[in-house]
């Protein structure tokens, strides 16, 4: 990141680095149900001061020992947790590898913490933090409770709360057949988040037009 990008990121989000996260799981209980897949998209400002996705990180995750997996959950996301073709790694490996480039980007941006951006962010945040706790990771770059929820932002800016409908309202292509994979949903959520941030800038909302 250039100095101007560092300054802009730090100023724009009050010292937080937004990182878009999506998870696929074996249920709704972060402490009981398996984390099966996690993806992250890093974002940065371009030379025109517009926020853009820059890098995608993606891991299939082995269920932790004793994890519960609801049949309804895997029917929904289409994941076979036992398939060796997934190339799944442990929660410890997945999060350590994911956190390394996030910490690097955070430092380059001059930010103190990273903040999770997600569609219904509390769900993704709870599963990521529970997995980090099980792995006893002490260098977790994410704020322990702050998140940016694109569901709320989309309700305000687009009058939509469902990801596909919000993307369509913003003119972002969305393939329903690819939905509910962590990597696809994360990339579309990142595009949506960037669109909303940039649209607010274009409309004069940031820096706030005081005239």
């Amino acid at each position: 990141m250039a100095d101007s990008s560092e300054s802009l990121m730090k100023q724009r989000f009050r010292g937080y680095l937004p990182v878009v996260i999506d998870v696929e799981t074996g249920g709704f209980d972060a402490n009981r149900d398996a984390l099966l897949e996690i993806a992250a998209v890093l974002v940065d400002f371009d030379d025109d001061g517009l926020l853009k996705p820059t890098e995608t990180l993606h891991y299939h995750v082995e269920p932790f020992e004793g994890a519960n997996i609801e049949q309804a959950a895997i029917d929904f996301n289409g994941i076979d947790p036992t398939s060796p073709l997934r190339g799944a790694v442990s929660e410890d490996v997945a999060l350590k590898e994911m956190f390394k480039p996030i910490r690097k980007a955070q430092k380059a941006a001059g930010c103190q913490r990273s903040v999770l951006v997600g569609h219904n962010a509390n769900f993704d945040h709870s599963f990521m933090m529970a997995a980090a706790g099980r792995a006893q990771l002490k260098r977790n770059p994410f704020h322990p409770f702050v998140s940016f929820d694109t569901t709320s932002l989309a309700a305000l800016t687009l009058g939509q709360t469902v990801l596909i409908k919000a993307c369509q309202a913003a003119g972002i292509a969305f393939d329903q057949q690819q939905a509910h994979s962590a990597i696809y949903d994360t990339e579309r959520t990142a595009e949506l988040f960037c669109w909303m941030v940039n649209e607010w800038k274009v409309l004069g909302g940031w820096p706030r037009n005081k005239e």
Side-chain angles (χ1 to χ4, degrees):
M1 296 182 189
D3 290 342
S4 59
S5 178
E6 172 184 332
S7 176
L8 183 56
M9 185 68 78
K10 185 176 180 179
Q11 292 174 23
R12 181 63 181 86
F13 300 108
R14 205 178 66 81
Y16 290 136
L17 175 73
V19 180
V20 185
I21 299 284
D22 186 77
V23 301
E24 297 298 332
T25 71
F28 297 107
D29 187 332
N31 294 310
R32 187 175 72 98
D33 299 330
L35 172 65
L36 299 174
E37 190 179 2
I38 186 166
V41 174
L42 300 176
V43 298
D44 195 7
F45 289 100
D46 65 15
D47 293 339
D48 295 320
L50 297 177
L51 194 64
K52 304 288 184 182
T54 59
E55 181 180 0
T56 299
L57 310 167
H58 175 241
Y59 302 92
H60 292 285
V61 183
E62 298 169 349
F64 64 90
E65 185 176 354
N68 178 66
I69 300 175
E70 298 289 341
Q71 185 63 44
I74 58 177
D75 287 345
F76 179 75
N77 58 39
I79 295 173
D80 178 359
T82 64
S83 173
L85 300 178
R86 291 206 307 137
V89 297
S90 67
E91 291 180 333
D92 177 76
V93 170
L95 293 186
K96 280 182 179 177
E97 291 302 308
M98 189 177 80
F99 287 170
K100 286 177 185 177
I102 292 172
R103 284 197 303 267
K104 182 178 178 180
Q106 176 183 298
K107 182 178 180 180
C111 294
Q112 289 77 47
R113 300 298 291 267
S114 295
V115 60
L116 183 146
V117 181
H119 207 72
N120 299 309
N122 182 64
F123 180 83
D124 304 284
H125 188 272
S126 66
F127 270 89
M128 185 186 68
M129 297 302 283
R134 286 189 292 269
Q136 299 182 331
L137 300 182
K138 299 185 183 302
R139 299 188 66 198
N140 184 342
F142 285 92
H143 195 285
F145 55 84
V146 173
S147 61
F148 295 166
D149 190 349
T150 54
T151 311
S152 300
L153 294 173
L156 174 66
T157 60
L158 295 162
Q160 299 290 346
T161 57
V162 177
L163 180 58
I164 183 172
K165 292 186 179 296
C167 285
Q168 289 170 343
I172 298 167
F174 196 103
D175 183 355
Q176 184 68 51
Q177 299 301 314
Q178 297 187 63
H180 309 309
S181 73
I183 192 167
Y184 188 81
D185 286 359
T186 310
E187 290 179 341
R188 298 296 79 73
T189 302
E191 288 185 66
L192 177 63
F193 176 67
C194 290
W195 185 92
M196 292 187 289
V197 170
N198 295 336
E199 186 72 3
W200 185 244
K201 174 183 173 66
V202 170
L203 293 173
W206 193 90
R208 184 168 176 80
N209 186 349
K210 298 181 180 180
E211 297 181 357

